[in-house]
Amino acid sequence: MSSCKENKKTKEDKTNQTSEEKITKTISEEKIDSVNQLAARQYLTMAEKLEKNRYPKTFYPENNEFESSNSGWWTSGFYPGTLLYLYEETGIDSLKIEAERILKDLKQEESNTATHDLGFMMFCSFGNANRIDPKPEYQEILMNSAKSLATRYNDTVKAIRSWDSASWNKAGEDDLVVIIDNMMNLELLFWATEHSGDSIYYDIAVNHANTTMKHHFRKDYSSYHEVIYDENTGAVKKQITNQGFADESSWARGQAWGLYGYVVMYRATKNDKYLEMAKNIADFILNHSNLPDDKVPFWDFDSDKIPNDLRDSSAASVMASALLALYEFTNSTEYFTAAEQMLKTLSSPEYLAGQGELGGFLLKHGVGNMPNSTEVDVPLTYGDYYFIEAFHRYKAM
Ligand code: GLY
């Protein structure tokens, strides 16, 4: 690996940790096990209904409509990823068998260079498969996926292109669009450098995160959803939203992607500036006057309908998982307590599906794309994935 790594520190260096603060877990092992058992039953029911090579997206309870996608949709990796976490938690073999079945189809996306979502698609799926049961074939798929993602890097802007230019994302021909969500794809690149010894993936991830830090964030550490750069000069042309309430608002899931992304950056580089960034984002979220006491955010922190607006359970799932990881790096009980509250709320009947409900999904009340009126107040495959991941982290603590 090259020397371009930024201030890489050893794992032992914990200068950022505050003094040890003891936590007491208030969610019982029995409760966690019952959530995982319910989830396993739900996902195995869902598996029976899935058509060949289709991937769960959402479910519309009012007309009992199950929506699926093909392998190329950005959410395809969450289904096998959730199955694999649940297999680890329950030991039920059929969960692993179903994950392996769908992975055979998902493999084709390793050469997809038309999307930035390869981290979501391939790392949540093959990354978990390889973590549980390391295999050369998984590693080859992950390497190929990282190579495909790296083709979207622009060294003038020093960022990975998220969406190709289009009128719907308000970008023209010479524009390069980066959305905050793209921070979630960097973990795949770090894995690729770790695995191959080639620093190019690491360097792309670091450059992308640094560019995002500079241009996606406001002074209060809230973030824009979409930044449009001039691909020839790297100049910022627009800071706007696509899925949020307004250009200057704080779209809840976007804040969650940013938080999770900078926790990953710290884990991978041990550079303190990323830990500071993650803490600042967490503090923005947790101190926001519009964050309800139960800690499940409204779909946008600045929606003009608050308090009479929809929550986004998927944003809470992502936040809970990220805050638990952040707690481990900081020992700050505030992060642990907030994550725990999110998990308690999400596993209450208000949010958690009953057995046989919701087409096999777990969490009610997710908001996919409010401005587009799609996937509003429904379960979302990524909400389920990060919910189960958060419990996995919580249990291991
Ligand atoms: N990455 C797309 C979303 O968060 O909806």
Side-chain angles (χ1 to χ4, degrees):
M1 292 183 217
S2 85
S3 56
C4 332
K5 289 188 175 182
E6 297 197 351
N7 292 339
K8 191 161 195 296
K9 294 182 181 176
T10 63
K11 273 204 172 119
E12 287 70 45
D13 186 335
K14 294 191 173 163
T15 51
N16 254 289
Q17 290 197 351
T18 56
S19 58
E20 290 279 320
E21 288 181 58
K22 284 249 178 311
I23 46 146
T24 311
K25 289 189 191 175
T26 61
I27 306 177
S28 67
E29 292 268 324
E30 291 73 28
K31 174 70 184 173
I32 301 170
D33 287 344
S34 82
V35 169
N36 283 326
Q37 290 294 338
L38 168 78
R41 289 193 298 272
Q42 287 286 92
Y43 267 65
L44 288 172
T45 310
M46 189 193 280
E48 280 169 23
K49 284 183 296 193
L50 262 187
E51 285 167 34
K52 196 165 182 278
N53 301 336
R54 301 294 297 175
Y55 296 72
K57 269 176 83 179
T58 187
F59 179 76
Y60 296 95
E62 61 281 4
N63 44 7
N64 205 28
E65 185 193 334
F66 185 91
E67 195 173 294
S68 65
S69 74
N70 62 20
S71 63
W73 184 242
W74 76 276
T75 60
S76 56
F78 296 117
Y79 175 60
T82 305
L83 291 168
L84 288 166
Y85 272 133
L86 291 173
Y87 165 71
E88 277 185 289
E89 294 301 333
T90 65
I92 300 171
D93 285 334
S94 45
L95 292 162
K96 187 162 181 253
I97 292 166
E98 171 62 3
E100 287 169 350
R101 178 192 69 78
I102 203 78
L103 288 179
K104 288 197 183 88
D105 181 68
L106 186 57
K107 176 187 184 307
Q108 64 189 294
E109 299 304 327
E110 67 187 346
S111 53
N112 186 345
T113 55
T115 179
H116 74 133
D117 286 319
L118 285 164
F120 283 125
M121 295 157 71
M122 308 307 269
F123 201 68
C124 297
S125 53
F126 289 98
N128 274 315
N130 187 57
R131 182 178 57 76
I132 295 169
D133 187 7
K135 283 187 188 158
E137 67 184 89
Y138 293 152
Q139 290 151 20
E140 194 185 328
I141 293 165
L142 287 166
M143 279 310 304
N144 289 339
S145 306
K147 284 178 195 158
S148 298
L149 178 56
T151 64
R152 298 182 68 80
Y153 178 70
N154 175 311
D155 201 37
T156 303
V157 180
K158 300 215 177 300
I160 299 164
R161 188 187 298 273
S162 294
W163 292 326
D164 292 337
S165 297
S167 55
W168 65 263
N169 58 39
K170 305 185 182 104
E173 237 172 55
D174 290 341
D175 291 344
L176 184 139
V177 177
V178 179
I179 57 170
I180 188 67
D181 323 28
N182 207 341
M183 286 300 302
M184 299 296 285
N185 295 309
L186 306 183
E187 209 171 351
L188 169 66
L189 298 177
F190 285 119
W191 180 90
T193 286
E194 188 88 32
H195 178 73
S196 67
D198 184 345
S199 62
I200 189 165
Y201 308 103
Y202 185 107
D203 294 341
I204 289 175
V206 164
N207 287 347
H208 182 92
N210 290 345
T211 302
T212 301
M213 233 162 118
K214 240 187 258 162
H215 301 303
H216 259 83
F217 287 87
R218 308 182 184 102
K219 283 200 172 62
D220 62 1
Y221 297 98
S222 65
S223 55
Y224 291 99
H225 181 206
E226 182 178 342
V227 176
I228 299 185
Y229 298 92
D230 181 322
E231 68 176 11
N232 300 311
T233 65
V236 173
K237 292 171 86 171
K238 284 183 209 160
Q239 292 163 306
I240 56 176
T241 198
N242 191 276
Q243 280 163 255
F245 172 73
D247 290 343
E248 289 298 332
S249 75
S250 300
W251 173 49
R253 198 164 54 255
Q255 312 314 301
W257 294 145
L259 171 63
Y260 195 115
Y262 284 96
V263 173
V264 167
M265 286 306 298
Y266 179 67
R267 186 189 298 120
T269 65
K270 292 294 180 290
N271 185 325
D272 292 344
K273 76 177 180 184
Y274 300 126
L275 187 62
E276 279 311 302
M277 190 67 187
K279 284 159 61 179
N280 285 327
I281 300 168
D283 294 347
F284 169 81
I285 292 169
L286 299 179
N287 296 328
H288 201 290
S289 56
N290 283 341
L291 183 69
D293 288 344
D294 65 17
K295 305 278 187 266
V296 175
F298 291 96
W299 71 277
D300 190 301
F301 281 94
D302 301 303
S303 150
D304 64 353
K305 293 206 192 90
I306 292 174
N308 301 313
D309 207 350
L310 293 173
R311 311 287 195 91
D312 178 14
S313 57
S314 76
S317 294
V318 178
M319 287 172 187
S321 187
L323 287 168
L324 290 174
L326 185 58
Y327 164 73
E328 297 209 290
F329 290 131
T330 58
N331 278 328
S332 172
T333 50
E334 189 199 351
Y335 302 140
F336 178 84
T337 309
E340 196 175 51
Q341 183 58 59
M342 287 170 184
L343 289 178
K344 281 183 185 169
T345 309
L346 293 176
S347 52
S348 73
E350 174 66 20
Y351 284 91
L352 189 62
Q355 173 78 49
E357 285 178 4
L358 224 56
F361 286 94
L362 303 178
L363 291 182
K364 307 172 204 173
H365 309 310
V367 173
N369 191 333
M370 184 72 97
N372 206 31
S373 302
T374 48
E375 301 178 349
V376 174
D377 202 17
V378 290
L380 296 163
T381 179
Y382 39 98
D384 285 5
Y385 174 86
Y386 290 104
F387 174 63
I388 294 300
E389 180 182 84
F391 265 128
H392 181 80
R393 287 184 175 173
Y394 184 88
K395 203 174 158 184
M397 286 167 93

